[in-house]
Amino acid sequence: MLDLLLRSANLPDGRGPIDIAVKDGRIVKISSGIKADANIVIDSTDRLVAPPFVDPHFHMDATLSIGQPRLNESGTLLEGIALWGELKPLLTSEAVMDRALRYCDLAVTQGLLSIRSHVDVSTTPMVCVEALLEVKKRVSSYIDLQLVAFPQDGLYRAAGAEKNLIRALDMGVDVVGGIPHFERTMEDGARSVKRLCQIAADRDLPVDLHCDESDDPMSRHIETLAAETTRLGLGGRVVASHATAMHSYDNYYATKLTPLIAESGMHVVPNPLINITLQGRSDTYPRRRGLSRIPELLAVGVNVAFGQDCTMDPWYSLGSADMLEVAHMGIHAVPMTSRAAMAWAFDSVTLGGAAAMGLPDPTLREGGPASMVVLQARDRIEAIRLRATRLAVIREGRVLSQAPPRRAVLSLKGRPSTLDPADYAPPIERSSQPNQERT
Ligand code: FE2
């Protein structure tokens, strides 16, 4: 007797309809027409079944704090920073935990089961670190939560920041963070990158820096980060987050830079929702977009994974823990609307995010963990187009969340009586070959 059987699913690689059999938290068989009984059977006809979503860049200590102590009326980065500064002295461990746990509930309903969150280490006492370490423990059976020690006000710009960062790592925070473009000088920024990479190398930890989240074409700390990653052999353990200044680099410099990033083996995590709103704010017209050079990075073999960054916090009033919304914005903002590129965008918020977080490859396969999401869409592109309803969210064979299909009831003479959003799409393309064409 199986624990769970998903009937007639479509897989992200185009296979389907196919059955997925689950026993003791693992996928035991993926095959057509499996003949076995199961405690739970989910009819997945015309549904995409994919690995759970991954958000490799988030700020859980600030999430859902919108309106505290006041709203960001201008929607700008500067007012957001000022607001967070006003909120920090008012934070309590209980309030941070409550918001974070509520966010994790929301994340589960969205099939988002792996999150890397930066945590501000500059509060005294370390309210956010204590709260999120406790949250990490509490959600560990259903969410992989990694924490990044983030010196929000700069490693050298803020007094005592390195001491706080080290303390947070001693307390159990998983990843070394930083913000070189926020240091007082370019030299201090480069020095902070070198120091942070050395701390990570000494402790055998990953690195994830807010790197060049700026419109300044001279903000080139990603170059130092790539060089230090190569020098110290940190390879796949390093992430450059945001990296928005790449849009402002001149083309010649960019063609020098991207192979160095590829050579280092580091990952790049752009955050299209927030950065399309925050960057280019001092421009008149034309206005720059706030993203890295994603097609160019992909072309030289860099793993690029979209992150969400913010949901209803001092910097961003919107967001809903929906990584399909993130992929949707990324596709538009880059732009990258070839069929292959849109399919890649789906993989970016599942497989790409997992690689950036250093997690095992979550591709659904026999013998692998039975962690997956059943989506009200037939393929990856349709899932992004519809920001598809998460019909079932499954972690190691356990159904964590279920939602009814989105279906409208129509009262129009001579027209269908109900409407599934997928009804209006042309037939699924089963021949799509992922990752061959990028843009
Ligand atoms: Fe961020």
Side-chain angles (χ1 to χ4, degrees), residues 131-143:
L132 291 194
L133 282 170
E134 179 60 26
V135 169
K136 177 179 165 152
K137 228 183 288 171
R138 291 201 195 177
V139 304
S140 62
S141 67
Y142 54 94
I143 288 181

Side-chain angles (χ1 to χ4, degrees), residues 48-370:
L48 175 65
V49 177
F53 296 107
V54 180
D55 183 359
H57 190 104
F58 196 62
H59 294 261
M60 203 176 277
D61 47 6
T63 195
L64 305 185
S65 68
I66 184 169
Q68 300 175 27
R70 60 183 176 81
L71 289 166
N72 183 339
E73 295 292 348
S74 66
T76 57
L77 175 62
L78 287 181
E79 189 172 347
I81 291 170
L83 249 174
W84 180 238
E86 290 168 36
L87 179 56
K88 272 204 275 194
L90 309 175
L91 292 173
T92 65
S93 193
E94 293 71 28
V96 174
M97 271 179 55
D98 178 60
R99 286 191 280 101
L101 286 169
R102 281 192 291 123
Y103 179 80
C104 288
D105 296 340
L106 175 63
V108 168
T109 68
Q110 299 280 33
L112 172 54
L113 301 186
S114 300
I115 302 169
R116 175 179 278 185
S117 173
H118 295 252
V119 48
D120 191 339
V121 297
S122 68
T123 55
T124 312
M126 290 180 136
V127 170
C128 297
V129 174
E130 284 164 10
L132 291 194
L133 282 170
E134 179 60 26
V135 169
K136 177 179 165 152
K137 228 183 288 171
R138 291 201 195 177
V139 304
S140 62
S141 67
Y142 54 94
I143 288 181
D144 292 312
L145 176 57
Q146 286 181 357
L147 300 177
V148 185
F150 180 40
Q152 173 106 43
D153 303 319
L155 187 73
Y156 296 127
R157 187 165 169 176
E162 181 170 338
K163 211 172 96 203
N164 284 355
L165 179 129
I166 298 288
R167 194 161 147 241
L169 297 175
D170 288 343
M171 289 165 73
V173 170
D174 311 277
V175 183
V176 178
I179 185 162
H181 57 275
F182 195 68
E183 304 292 350
R184 286 196 179 87
T185 63
M186 291 296 178
E187 290 74 19
D188 277 358
R191 203 156 59 87
S192 80
V193 172
K194 290 175 187 167
R195 178 70 190 129
L196 292 163
C197 287
Q198 192 61 57
I199 291 170
D202 292 345
R203 291 175 169 248
D204 200 21
L205 291 175
V207 178
D208 192 330
L209 304 188
H210 281 66
C211 202
D212 307 314
E213 188 181 7
S214 161
D215 292 328
D216 179 0
M218 298 314 293
S219 187
R220 297 178 173 184
H221 299 296
I222 195 167
E223 175 185 274
T224 308
L225 183 59
E228 288 302 291
T229 301
T230 301
R231 186 178 72 83
L232 295 166
L234 298 177
R237 291 197 274 140
V238 175
V239 171
S241 283
H242 293 285
T244 58
M246 286 187 84
H247 249 249
S248 300
Y249 299 157
D250 69 76
N251 288 338
Y252 184 85
Y253 174 66
T255 57
K256 177 210 168 192
L257 177 67
T258 46
L260 292 174
I261 294 172
E263 174 196 61
S264 75
M266 71 188 197
H267 311 268
V268 175
V269 172
N271 299 283
L273 285 181
I274 182 92
N275 286 127
I276 198 70
T277 70
L278 292 184
Q279 307 311 130
R281 293 294 275 252
S282 60
D283 291 2
T284 53
Y285 292 96
R287 275 195 170 151
R288 285 167 288 178
R289 299 174 190 211
L291 285 170
S292 322
R293 298 196 182 207
I294 294 172
E296 292 79 5
L297 288 167
L298 292 173
V300 293
V302 176
N303 176 47
V304 180
F306 286 129
Q308 189 185 196
D309 204 29
C310 301
T311 287
M312 290 179 278
D313 69 9
W315 296 275
Y316 190 60
S317 299
L318 308 173
S320 57
D322 183 354
M323 294 308 293
L324 289 174
E325 183 186 29
V326 174
H328 190 270
M329 178 60 76
I331 283 171
H332 288 78
V334 172
M336 44 195 313
T337 49
S338 73
R339 300 291 296 179
M342 291 192 288
W344 167 83
F346 184 93
D347 292 343
S348 163
V349 292
T350 52
L351 312 182
M357 285 181 65
L359 299 173
D361 179 359
T363 300
L364 302 182
R365 62 185 180 279
E366 291 179 0

Side-chain angles (χ1 to χ4, degrees), residues 40 42 390-393 399-404:
I40 302 171
I42 298 177
R390 282 65 164 171
L391 301 171
V393 178
V399 179
L400 301 178
S401 168
Q402 284 181 282

